[in-house]
Amino acid sequence: MKKLFRNIYLEKRFFIAVAVLVTGFILSYIFPDIFGVLKLFFYIFLITILVDTILVFGSKGTIEADRILPDKFSNGDQNPIDIKLTNTYLFDARLRVLDEIPHQFQKRDFEIITPLKKGEEKLFKYELRPVERGVYAFGNLNVFATSPLRLVAKRYTFNNEQEVPVYPSFLQLQKYELMAFSNRLMEYGLKKIRRIGHTMEFEQIKEYVQGDDIRNINWKATAKKNQLMVNQFQDEKSQPIYSVIDKGRVMKMPFDGLSLLDYAINATLVISGIAIKKQDKAGMFAFSNKIENRVVAERRSSQMNLILETLYNMRTNFVESDYSRLYIDVKRNLNHRSLLLLYTNFETLDALHRQLPYLQAISKQHLLVVIFFENTELNEYAGQEAETAQGIFEQTIAEKFIYEKKLIVNELRKYGIQTILTKPENLTINTINKYLEIKARGLL
């Protein structure tokens, strides 16, 4: 009996019927003739509740439900969750599903309402977009079942508590890897790069086919074979590609829920995967007041798993980043010329000038690409129409900061440092584009 009362719930129709009866009994004081009719309706209502309760709690059959989760979630992406429902009752049921979603999502109004015929099985899908790495805990799966009368509901609680880790965006890794190797990147705004030099190793001599570079014709082999022969080259491989992530306080700023650090982490995972597929060595490390999360650049089969686990455990430490320590570490530990993709953020020229000597020193030994971010919210605010003097003043300040970002780009390029100024959501695309451009032009 205790279990019955714990799982019985009254539906909206029950309260509507009660409200109608109460109103009618009140009106019967004014119109006594309707009292007898209302009394009959009251008894019918009680019998209906009893029948409904027997149907839901006493008849054969039950409701079965199961939540199906992936092994891990991809940070910043829509991740699918499946809920499987089965009705073994002898009647058609109406179900209301309440899933106890992890508190990080702050979804208080999630529910699925669906009819389910007797013996029917349905699969429902919904999606969640996490914006923080870590472990997310799902609670119970609650299903409220009603008969066609829909006065009384029975609650089914499925102890389906599960934990899912949220990793850096491996979905982006799969998507951009596929595009990078199927030449579909231009659909996302990536420009075609013209190769302007030969930083290649000789591979073989082959017959000329239409489209081969006539500058590579081997005239001696042509004379011997009595047909056009060309030298074929292969790209230089196994070059070290390092993603260097600034995890100081400047990278905590959020855009669309994700911090700049998480945007950089997602881009690092994607560019590392593409570099390895391009036969280069991928590595990474992070810095703030010290150097951490180091993965030495390699091209082994387990490298991507090592990078993924390292990125998963990375956190912002809210201190001022020490570029002098970064320079010393790079000088001591990177003995071969490498491509360094530095993810950081500069808001003012003064902030850049404090670190510029260290960036110049690093760029003398390695190919350095400084990647920092546009403030998209500031751009949006500056594009609005000002209606007051204060609004005009604030927009002027916003435009000053936007212009200063462009000055930072010019300042870095003046000293021969490659630069990317990008919107956070376009970071991965622009980084891939720069990497492919560098490879095509043989700058490394």
Side-chain angles (χ1 to χ4, degrees):
M1 185 60 70
K2 183 178 179 182
K3 185 177 180 180
L4 172 66
F5 283 108
R6 190 172 60 215
N7 292 323
I8 190 169
Y9 284 80
L10 302 176
E11 288 290 288
K12 185 177 180 180
R13 283 188 180 181
F14 173 88
F15 294 104
I16 292 174
V18 170
V20 171
L21 286 171
V22 169
T23 304
F25 281 119
I26 293 173
L27 292 175
S28 67
Y29 284 98
I30 305 173
F31 308 102
D33 294 340
I34 66 171
F35 180 77
V37 178
L38 290 171
K39 192 174 179 181
L40 177 61
F41 281 149
F42 176 72
Y43 289 126
I44 293 173
F45 178 59
L46 292 180
I47 294 171
T48 306
I49 294 174
L50 181 61
V51 171
D52 199 10
T53 304
I54 293 172
L55 279 174
V56 175
F57 286 87
S59 62
K60 291 182 179 181
T62 185
I63 296 296
E64 298 173 1
D66 186 28
R67 182 200 302 120
I68 304 170
L69 295 174
D71 294 333
K72 54 183 180 287
F73 280 168
S74 178
N75 194 26
D77 300 314
Q78 296 290 349
N79 295 268
I81 295 97
D82 295 336
I83 293 181
K84 183 180 178 182
L85 299 173
T86 306
N87 177 18
T88 62
Y89 276 124
L90 299 178
F91 54 84
D92 297 348
R94 178 180 180 272
L95 305 182
R96 184 164 62 101
V97 182
L98 301 180
D99 197 0
E100 295 180 6
I101 293 173
H103 66 86
Q104 290 94 332
F105 295 106
Q106 293 296 302
K107 291 178 73 72
R108 311 287 186 183
D109 57 349
F110 174 84
E111 67 176 8
I112 297 173
I113 299 176
T114 179
L116 202 62
K117 296 180 180 179
K118 61 180 180 179
E120 186 181 6
E121 182 180 291
K122 275 188 180 181
L123 190 67
F124 293 89
K125 293 180 180 289
Y126 68 95
E127 294 181 334
L128 293 175
R129 179 180 179 266
V131 293
E132 295 178 3
R133 285 162 290 118
V135 177
Y136 285 53
F138 284 80
N140 294 327
L141 186 60
N142 302 283
V143 180
F144 297 84
T146 63
S147 74
L149 296 174
R150 291 172 53 184
L151 292 173
V152 176
K154 180 179 180 180
R155 183 183 69 173
Y156 290 89
T157 301
F158 299 92
N159 190 13
N160 202 18
E161 296 180 359
Q162 297 167 282
E163 290 186 345
V164 182
V166 176
Y167 275 81
S169 182
F170 53 85
L171 292 181
Q172 284 189 28
L173 172 63
Q174 297 167 3
K175 179 177 74 172
Y176 288 119
E177 273 188 356
L178 179 63
M179 291 180 179
F181 291 95
S182 60
N183 296 321
R184 292 182 56 224
L185 284 169
M186 285 191 292
E187 295 178 12
Y188 284 78
L190 296 182
K191 59 186 178 183
K192 185 177 181 180
I193 303 300
R194 182 173 65 91
R195 186 180 295 277
I196 60 174
H198 289 290
T199 61
M200 302 184 290
E201 299 175 352
F202 176 76
E203 184 175 17
Q204 64 175 349
I205 299 174
K206 70 178 188 72
E207 294 181 6
Y208 174 84
V209 295
Q210 188 174 358
D212 286 338
D213 192 342
I214 60 175
R215 294 174 299 177
N216 294 333
I217 294 177
N218 188 319
W219 295 108
K220 288 184 178 180
T222 297
K224 288 180 181 180
K225 288 280 190 178
N226 199 26
Q227 61 179 345
L228 285 175
M229 305 293 290
V230 294
N231 295 328
Q232 186 176 22
F233 299 88
Q234 62 180 0
D235 289 342
E236 293 180 358
K237 300 176 181 179
S238 297
Q239 296 172 312
I241 313 296
Y242 277 95
S243 296
V244 184
I245 302 176
D246 180 355
K247 61 177 188 178
R249 62 189 178 202
V250 297
M251 298 292 282
K252 187 61 179 174
M253 187 181 300
F255 289 93
D256 195 22
L258 277 179
S259 67
L260 295 181
L261 177 65
D262 280 305
Y263 280 109
I265 285 172
N266 290 344
T268 295
L269 183 65
V270 174
I271 199 67
S272 298
I274 291 177
I276 290 175
K277 291 289 179 65
K278 291 282 188 181
Q279 309 301 317
D280 282 328
K281 297 177 181 178
M284 59 153 293
F285 57 92
F287 75 101
S288 54
N289 58 338
K290 58 182 178 180
I291 308 299
E292 296 177 310
N293 309 107
R294 186 189 305 275
V295 177
V296 178
E298 296 287 350
R299 195 162 54 87
R300 55 193 176 189
S301 58
S302 61
Q303 188 73 354
M304 283 306 298
N305 284 335
L306 182 57
I307 291 175
L308 180 62
E309 291 296 333
T310 304
L311 292 172
Y312 172 72
N313 293 304
M314 190 180 296
R315 296 289 181 270
T316 311
N317 55 14
F318 302 102
V319 298
E320 187 73 24
S321 298
D322 189 345
Y323 281 78
S324 63
R325 189 176 293 271
L326 171 65
Y327 165 67
I328 293 170
D329 185 87
V330 168
K331 187 175 182 181
R332 286 179 179 174
N333 295 295
L334 300 186
N335 299 320
H336 300 284
R337 180 171 170 81
S338 306
L339 170 60
L340 303 182
L341 301 169
L342 173 59
Y343 300 95
T344 185
N345 199 30
F346 295 111
E347 292 292 341
T348 64
L349 269 174
D350 290 338
L352 172 67
H353 286 148
R354 287 196 297 268
Q355 315 303 342
L356 190 56
Y358 306 112
L359 298 177
Q360 287 180 265
I362 293 172
S363 66
K364 289 178 182 178
Q365 300 173 334
H366 304 276
L367 180 56
L368 176 64
V369 180
V370 177
I371 306 168
F372 62 110
F373 301 89
E374 295 181 18
N375 191 324
T376 53
E377 294 180 359
L378 207 61
N379 292 347
E380 184 179 345
Y381 179 75
Q384 296 175 359
E385 185 177 348
E387 298 180 353
T388 63
Q390 182 178 351
I392 295 173
F393 174 76
E394 290 174 349
Q395 285 190 337
T396 303
I397 298 299
E399 289 171 358
K400 176 181 178 297
F401 278 108
I402 294 170
Y403 178 68
E404 198 152 1
K405 288 272 188 178
K406 297 176 182 178
L407 292 179
I408 293 172
V409 173
N410 293 334
E411 189 76 5
L412 287 167
R413 289 177 178 170
K414 184 172 70 175
Y415 292 99
I417 300 174
Q418 298 274 339
T419 308
I420 299 175
L421 175 61
T422 178
K423 296 179 180 179
E425 61 269 23
N426 295 335
L427 172 64
T428 301
I429 295 175
N430 291 332
T431 304
I432 296 172
N433 195 27
K434 176 60 71 171
Y435 167 71
L436 296 178
E437 177 186 346
I438 288 170
K439 292 290 291 183
R441 292 180 176 173
L443 299 178
L444 183 56

